[in-house]
Amino acid sequence: MAIQTVGIIGAGTMGNGIAQACAVSGINVVMVDISDAAVQKGLATVAGSLDRLIKKEKISEADKTAALSRIKISTSYDDLKAAQLVIEAATENYDLKVKILKQVDALVGPDVIVATNTSSISITQLAAATQRADRFIGMHFFNPVPMMALVEIIRGLQTSDATHDAVKAMALALGKSPITVKNAPGFVVNRILVPMINEAFQVLSEGTATAEDIDAGMKLGCNQPIGPLALADMIGLDVCLAVMEVYLKEFGDSKYRPCFLLREMVAAGRLGRKTGQGVYTY
């Protein structure tokens, strides 16, 4: 299947990032969210990101104009009917994702592939909530989407080879480097990464070192481009907490218990960059 138009549900950080990656690569996009304000903000974020690429001389003004012309914004799921692939990029919440996926499943054509950008929820379980389990797949992009090369392609138990191959081809068309992953909580990257972030919060809560020194230690000692606490602020502390809670539930292993400090900061609304304050102040 040739994927010429991609529907994206969610105009937030991940949704608008995926939209930009598609549009820059010549793929048409329909980006849907619950309000006009949300989709307008998502489109403005894409425009701002493209402006930064122009300043870096990575793209031209004409490239920006062409990319933005490929993005249609909408508050109606009906507009997703034009897509050959629909990517759900809503908040990391199982009940919300199932609600959205059931709506989309009932609306789009039987040949349309539906993907989820979940970072931790079972692809097999989400697929079972639809009537197209063989045409359902995980497509986990990384933040910031336009810059990060990796896409984890996660096969559920029911995912067909044709679905996998079409999505992998599309990821390659975006200039990404996809890896194929078997369905398991956290898949590969987040299974390793988020517990490391949680442990960094544990070290911080114990007063072993300051946030700055923890991050400096991991950058200089492990050659990481960004420290785990600064990365948590970028990802969103609420997302980190939600992922750890999924691991704890799915594995039943106490090593995945979220750090109390992480819970406290989320409860206080200190979610990181998106709220202006997390471990650091922005």
Side-chain angles (χ1 to χ4, degrees):
M1 176 190 291
I3 296 172
Q4 299 173 320
T5 300
V6 173
I8 300 170
I9 301 170
T13 300
M14 298 306 295
N16 67 58
I18 298 167
Q20 178 179 328
C22 290
V24 167
S25 300
I27 297 172
N28 294 318
V29 173
V30 179
M31 184 168 63
V32 177
D33 213 318
I34 58 174
S35 70
D36 187 60
V39 290
Q40 291 288 354
K41 182 179 178 182
L43 188 62
T45 300
V46 173
S49 178
L50 294 174
D51 283 337
R52 289 190 291 275
L53 291 176
I54 290 172
K55 288 180 181 179
K56 294 177 181 177
E57 299 184 346
K58 298 287 182 69
I59 64 170
S60 66
E61 282 283 357
D63 292 331
K64 174 190 172 183
T65 300
L68 290 176
S69 73
R70 296 186 188 105
I71 302 175
K72 175 180 179 178
I73 57 175
S74 175
T75 57
S76 173
Y77 279 18
D78 281 343
D79 289 323
L80 296 171
K81 291 178 180 178
Q84 293 82 46
L85 168 67
V86 175
I87 303 173
E88 171 272 313
T91 304
E92 193 73 352
N93 177 284
Y94 173 76
D95 291 333
L96 175 62
K97 287 183 182 293
V98 167
K99 179 182 177 182
I100 290 170
L101 292 171
K102 284 186 174 180
Q103 285 181 265
V104 172
D105 186 45
L107 185 68
V108 300
D111 294 331
V112 174
I113 296 171
V114 177
T116 176
N117 185 54
T118 182
S119 57
S120 63
I121 300 172
S122 168
I123 303 304
T124 297
Q125 189 176 6
L126 290 174
T130 75
Q131 300 300 310
R132 64 184 74 224
D134 62 321
R135 294 181 302 288
F136 189 91
I137 199 164
M139 212 178 176
H140 181 211
F141 290 84
F142 288 77
N143 186 31
V145 177
M147 307 304 295
M148 297 293 281
L150 181 65
V151 179
E152 285 182 318
I153 298 177
I154 308 102
R155 300 186 66 150
L157 190 64
Q158 317 95 314
T159 305
S160 71
D161 290 343
T163 296
H164 168 268
D165 294 347
V167 168
K168 182 176 180 180
M170 203 277 281
L172 290 169
L174 299 184
K176 302 301 184 185
S177 299
I179 62 171
T180 299
V181 179
K182 189 167 65 173
N183 184 56
F187 317 130
V188 170
V189 175
N190 280 344
R191 171 79 177 275
I192 298 167
L193 176 65
V194 181
M196 183 195 72
I197 290 173
N198 190 61
E199 192 64 23
F201 274 95
Q202 191 65 42
V203 171
L204 179 64
S205 71
E206 292 168 0
T208 305
T210 64
E212 291 81 2
D213 283 350
I214 291 167
D215 279 352
M218 294 304 290
K219 288 167 65 179
L220 299 174
C222 298
N223 205 30
Q224 295 183 357
I226 184 172
L229 297 172
L231 180 58
D233 277 353
M234 183 181 293
I235 294 169
L237 271 59
D238 53 337
V239 176
C240 294
L241 177 58
V243 171
M244 287 302 296
E245 287 176 333
V246 168
Y247 294 171
L248 183 62
K249 178 183 176 183
E250 293 296 322
F251 290 113
D253 190 327
S254 63
K255 74 178 182 180
Y256 296 111
R257 184 176 64 246
C259 176
F260 183 72
L261 176 60
L262 177 59
R263 290 189 182 279
E264 281 284 274
M265 293 183 74
V266 171
R270 298 180 180 181
L271 308 182
R273 289 178 180 265
K274 60 188 172 185
T275 60
Q277 188 170 8
V279 178
Y280 301 99
T281 301
Y282 300 91

